[in-house]
Amino acid sequence: QISLKESGPPLVKPTQTLTLTCTLSGFSLTTSGVGVGWIRQPPGKALEWLALIYWDDDKRYSPSLKSRLTITKDTSKNQVVLTMTNMDPVDTATYYCAHSGPSRGDYYYMDVWGKGTTVTVSS
Amino acid sequence: SYVLTQPPSVSVAPGKTARITCGGNNIGSKSVHWYQQKPGQAPVLVIYFESDRPSGIPERFSGSNSGNTATLTISRVEAGDEADYYCQVWDSSSDHAVFGGGTQLTVL
């Protein structure tokens, strides 16, 4: 059974870099077609898609945040890591990672989500 | 960037049909996916490729997509369907996923 679990610091200071880890279970990013993405949701607001990495290291980023985001995979640990630089209070949100199948581009969707991890940006 | 527009809220009586729309420029040419999010929980995929249902999602959930509007239809609405619903597409012009602003479904 596929599952994902997010982890990271609950509190970061403005200007710091946030590092979030998504630990995968029941599947591997060495499997052809698999993708893992990151999505966030500020309190009381809508979902916002952030980034995506595929098994073949193909990556995509939100244009509005691309300069601040880096997504990588560690296949030995079965993890996906998202870093976001220059954190600001507006980045306070619940951050989710999600599994996607082989459908890319126009056919991309997220079929299994982690429970999320809450990050607060405050001095 | 591609914009998806959803009504902020939809209300429906139990047993009736709820229709949640997702507007976008020529969205009928795109694949649309829908997610349900209950308070304090992670989103759950309820419809993919406009009208396909993942296993475990009731047949009461269906979708359609044409022109500038995609629609999620929930038949015989139950109290447990009360949630926020989000549509999602891929913006091929800038190569990233996009969510709508979400619709809060209230069961009266």
Side-chain angles (χ1 to χ4, degrees):
Chain A
Q1 183 176 355
I2 290 175
S3 66
L4 307 92
K5 186 173 183 178
E6 305 87 348
S7 58
L11 179 67
V12 297
K13 290 179 169 39
T15 75
Q16 286 186 336
T17 294
L18 171 68
T19 299
L20 296 172
T21 300
C22 178
T23 301
L24 318 178
S25 297
F27 73 102
S28 169
L29 262 175
T30 59
T31 302
S32 175
V34 170
V36 173
W38 285 93
I39 306 95
R40 71 178 180 179
Q41 185 174 37
K45 296 190 176 181
L47 301 170
E48 180 183 16
W49 186 86
L50 301 176
L52 164 66
I53 189 167
Y54 282 106
W55 65 283
D56 57 0
D57 215 35
D58 188 16
K59 302 172 185 177
R60 297 289 184 272
Y61 293 99
S62 167
S64 62
L65 292 167
K66 185 174 184 177
S67 63
R68 298 173 54 205
L69 295 174
T70 302
I71 190 169
T72 59
K73 58 183 173 70
D74 185 334
T75 53
S76 66
K77 296 181 179 178
N78 214 24
Q79 293 177 334
V80 173
V81 175
L82 181 75
T83 61
M84 181 180 293
T85 61
N86 194 24
M87 292 293 285
D88 183 272
V90 300
D91 297 313
T92 294
T94 297
Y95 287 75
Y96 299 97
C97 58
H99 170 276
S100 65
S103 303
R104 301 198 188 196
D106 278 342
Y107 307 104
Y108 168 77
Y109 61 93
M110 295 150 274
D111 56 359
V112 182
W113 294 58
K115 295 185 184 303
T117 186
T118 300
V119 178
T120 301
V121 184
S122 175
S123 55
Chain B
S1 191
Y2 194 80
V3 176
L4 294 174
T5 302
Q6 297 183 238
S9 62
V10 167
S11 299
V12 64
K16 300 299 186 184
T17 297
R19 293 179 179 84
I20 298 172
T21 59
C22 176
N25 184 32
N26 197 26
I27 194 173
S29 67
K30 295 182 174 295
S31 284
V32 181
H33 319 292
W34 291 91
Y35 304 85
Q36 175 194 68
Q37 185 180 33
K38 296 182 178 179
Q41 298 184 18
V44 172
L45 179 71
V46 293
I47 292 288
Y48 63 102
F49 295 160
E50 288 84 56
S51 58
D52 290 346
R53 281 175 289 103
S55 61
I57 300 301
E59 291 184 8
R60 300 183 297 104
F61 287 79
S62 63
S64 62
N65 185 20
S66 178
N68 292 318
T69 305
T71 303
L72 173 69
T73 300
I74 309 171
S75 305
R76 302 181 300 283
V77 167
E78 302 173 357
D81 298 330
E82 196 163 89
D84 293 329
Y85 291 85
Y86 293 90
C87 56
Q88 175 250 311
V89 301
W90 186 265
D91 180 356
S92 51
S93 66
S94 46
D95 225 9
H96 71 287
V98 177
F99 287 101
T103 297
Q104 182 177 53
L105 176 67
T106 299
V107 181
L108 300 171

